[in-house]
Amino acid sequence: MKKIFLLFTAISLFTACSDEDFDINRDPDNLSADGVGLSVEMPSGMVGLAGAQGSYYALVGGFWSQYWTQSNASNQYKNIDEYSIGTNDYQGGWSAMYDALGDIRNVKKLALQQQNWKYYLIATTLEVQASQIMADFYDQIPYTEANNREILTPKFNTGEEVYDLMVADMKDALSKDLASSMGDSPAADDFVFNGNMSNWKAYANTLLLKLYMRQTEKRPALAQQGITELFTAGVDFLNVDAGLTQFEDAPSRSNPLYESDRRQLNTGTNLRASTTLFSFLNENVDPRKAKFYEAGVSLNQGDFNSLSAPTSFAVVHLEATTPVYFMSKEESMFLQAEALERYSAGAGAKAKYDAGVQAAFAKFGENGASFVATGGAYEYPSAGTFSDKLKAIITQKWVSGFPGNGFEMFFEQNRTGYPAISAVPQSSSSYVPGEFAYSVNGTTGGIFPKRMVIPNTVKTRNPNTPALETVKVPVWWDVN
């Protein structure tokens, strides 16, 4: 049975099929790999990816990007908050993601055989979306031999190899002539864009932009060349959200983070407002604070042994119907803003930044126009240095990832150093709102987490698994 289907399913919302066709207790992997229709298996892969990304990795990402911290009234997530995740923790995330990749890669294989370039582009984009998350968390992962039924112990590619392979795969899929695509066209089975291939091309271009951007510090020449080629070619980048919006406030049909933290655990108070993000929003009188957190004060990051009354600390606000974003409009805007600052002398960067901030406000029913206007709290530092501008872009990207995309902001903090790391604890009067603070109960000697540990279930089953690294060891592109 697919583990992720135990968490939730949105597949029953696919109006072309009945609930029985997508019973959550049926495993599409048990069907013949070559006999599954593209329109049947693709939704399974999409939902599996959304479930893995939106539950396991969203939870860890929210802690490590310091959106929330463990309540001092419980201990459900102490190992994440104190940076002590080990080989026996969160094994389900790895399994769920590779389960989803099994469906996605089978769609890609069949689409290639059938010369159905529309499904091929979609499957490749989703394959890279999932693999990028895994590579950025674990560094070395199976890629070239992964999800092959004839290879039970796939080799691990290095993180650098995975990035090169993902870039090549994205370029290959984007090179296909969609007008000559054979067979059926995606429609209602496409939970993301309902068959709009222009949006898929824009999403694929933006994902390629992200892959290059992630390499700016480690391989600056390669990153500059790749990004410059994209802008010179005048490709379209994402101007809408790419994600699943079909969730319902019902068991097994809700947002996966809400489902796993609130409904499955039958509690709503494990996650409390971290002083890091809470103080930043409070300092800037940002109305999103009331949308992110319930009433109360913040808890310093990792201070789960605090003797203060638990009821005083603000609970993180999660909703059952919140979409899972593979990539949001605002993330696309911030990626473009940074690219323009780095490689186009800043021309147009402010407009992209402003659009990103306002899109992030709009997600929560707020208007961000006054915040980016002259004199506003988030006014773009047009006259500042590149570092000033990068800080503004990454800081606003960080805020915009709440609640489900904190893992991306964790990666970005490791890449850029923004938000900055505080030199003092959050209990100090000189703490700067919004700066990352080492967990009060951290177990890594002052070193922030840089990766996740490959699960023991992988190590024991696959002799090709590389030597295990601790959370303190950076992935290949992280030179900070």
Side-chain angles (χ1 to χ4, degrees):
M1 180 189 299
K2 285 206 161 191
K3 296 178 179 66
I4 200 61
F5 284 168
L6 295 175
L7 291 176
F8 85 109
T9 181
I11 288 183
S12 60
L13 300 180
F14 179 22
T15 57
C17 299
S18 68
D19 284 348
E20 289 74 17
D21 289 330
F22 289 108
D23 188 327
I24 63 173
N25 292 317
R26 292 176 65 238
D27 184 356
D29 289 347
N30 289 331
L31 303 176
S32 168
D34 295 327
V36 179
L38 299 178
S39 63
V40 173
E41 193 160 20
M42 186 173 73
S44 176
M46 286 181 174
V47 171
L49 170 52
Q53 170 187 317
S55 57
Y56 300 103
Y57 297 113
L59 182 67
V60 175
F63 277 101
W64 289 357
S65 60
Q66 304 200 0
Y67 295 160
W68 48 68
T69 190
Q70 168 66 54
S71 171
N72 63 334
S74 58
N75 59 12
Q76 186 71 31
Y77 307 123
K78 283 184 178 180
N79 60 339
I80 307 176
D81 215 1
E82 67 183 11
Y83 315 141
S84 64
I85 286 183
T87 58
N88 293 321
D89 300 314
Y90 300 95
Q91 298 176 3
W94 180 285
S95 299
M97 192 66 92
Y98 274 100
D99 249 346
L101 278 166
D103 291 321
I104 292 165
R105 285 178 165 137
N106 196 48
V107 170
K108 179 180 177 180
K109 182 187 75 171
L110 296 177
L112 178 62
Q113 292 173 357
Q114 300 168 20
Q115 298 184 44
N116 190 318
W117 305 131
K118 294 179 180 180
Y119 278 96
Y120 187 74
L121 175 62
I122 293 174
T124 303
T125 304
L126 294 174
E127 175 189 34
V128 171
Q129 167 75 25
S131 300
Q132 173 251 308
I133 295 171
M134 298 299 279
D136 288 348
F137 261 129
Y138 300 97
D139 201 12
Q140 300 185 58
I141 61 170
Y143 190 87
T144 55
E145 294 183 356
N147 302 110
N148 186 329
R149 290 169 180 264
E150 298 179 359
I151 302 177
L152 299 181
T153 56
K155 73 174 184 180
F156 279 64
N157 296 99
T158 67
E160 193 167 356
E161 287 173 344
V162 173
Y163 259 74
D164 288 341
L165 290 163
M166 290 191 296
V167 167
D169 284 348
M170 289 306 311
K171 287 184 172 182
D172 172 60
L174 283 164
S175 73
K176 305 301 184 184
D177 180 12
L178 298 184
S180 66
S181 180
M182 306 292 287
D184 295 335
S185 292
D189 57 310
D190 173 7
F191 291 164
V192 180
F193 293 129
N194 199 35
N196 186 321
M197 296 310 299
S198 294
N199 283 344
W200 275 108
K201 287 193 70 173
Y203 174 20
N205 287 326
T206 314
L207 189 52
L208 186 55
L209 174 62
K210 180 196 286 190
L211 296 178
Y212 286 129
M213 194 68 72
R214 194 64 35 93
Q215 301 177 72
T216 53
E217 308 309 305
K218 181 66 174 181
R219 299 199 291 189
L222 182 149
Q224 180 174 359
Q225 179 181 348
I227 292 171
T228 301
E229 287 176 356
L230 287 171
F231 277 88
T232 300
V235 303
D236 291 327
F237 295 111
L238 201 61
N239 194 39
V240 296
D241 295 321
L244 270 64
T245 62
Q246 297 91 345
F247 302 106
E248 302 174 0
D249 189 1
S252 298
R253 296 175 182 269
S254 54
N255 170 282
L257 179 58
Y258 181 93
E259 181 75 19
S260 58
D261 179 67
R262 300 294 159 87
R263 205 185 304 277
Q264 299 292 334
L265 294 180
N266 197 29
T267 179
T269 62
N270 273 315
L271 302 179
R272 304 289 180 143
S274 168
T275 292
T276 310
L277 180 56
F278 186 97
S279 66
F280 178 83
L281 298 172
N282 196 58
E283 177 79 5
N284 291 289
V285 196
D286 192 319
R288 291 175 293 181
K289 187 183 80 169
K291 304 296 179 68
F292 291 4
Y293 308 113
E294 308 292 351
V297 298
S298 64
L299 181 62
N300 291 343
Q301 190 69 41
D303 194 16
F304 46 72
N305 291 327
S306 170
L307 298 178
S308 299
T311 54
S312 66
F313 298 117
V315 173
V316 172
H317 182 76
L318 298 177
E319 294 187 0
T321 57
T322 298
V324 168
Y325 299 107
F326 295 146
M327 182 177 289
S328 67
K329 174 182 177 179
E330 49 268 31
E331 184 182 359
S332 173
M333 295 299 158
F334 292 132
L335 281 167
Q336 293 175 69
E338 182 181 347
L340 291 168
E341 281 296 350
R342 284 183 180 274
Y343 308 122
S344 297
K350 179 184 183 303
K352 296 297 183 184
Y353 168 87
D354 289 354
V357 173
Q358 294 188 70
F361 269 77
K363 280 283 194 311
F364 294 89
E366 301 291 344
N367 189 329
S370 64
F371 282 80
V372 295
T374 302
Y378 304 146
E379 179 186 2
Y380 192 65
S382 298
T385 64
F386 172 74
S387 294
D388 294 332
K389 295 168 184 176
L390 182 62
K391 178 181 179 180
I393 292 167
I394 301 300
T395 299
Q396 290 306 311
K397 183 189 286 189
W398 167 59
V399 179
S400 75
F402 183 94
N405 290 74
F407 53 86
E408 276 298 323
M409 310 315 142
F410 164 69
F411 303 148
E412 288 291 72
Q413 199 285 329
N414 282 333
R415 176 178 70 94
T416 67
Y418 295 116
I421 291 175
S422 177
V424 299
Q426 291 177 323
S427 57
S428 170
S429 60
S430 59
Y431 170 72
V432 176
E435 290 192 346
F436 273 35
Y438 185 75
S439 171
V440 172
N441 287 287
T443 61
T444 53
I447 299 175
F448 284 76
K450 293 291 188 176
R451 64 162 70 208
M452 288 187 72
V453 181
I454 295 174
N456 188 53
T457 50
V458 178
K459 181 71 173 177
T460 56
R461 296 173 184 173
N462 187 349
N464 293 318
T465 305
L468 300 181
E469 302 284 5
T470 70
V471 298
K472 297 187 292 184
V473 178
V475 299
W476 74 277
W477 49 255
D478 181 1
V479 298
N480 282 309

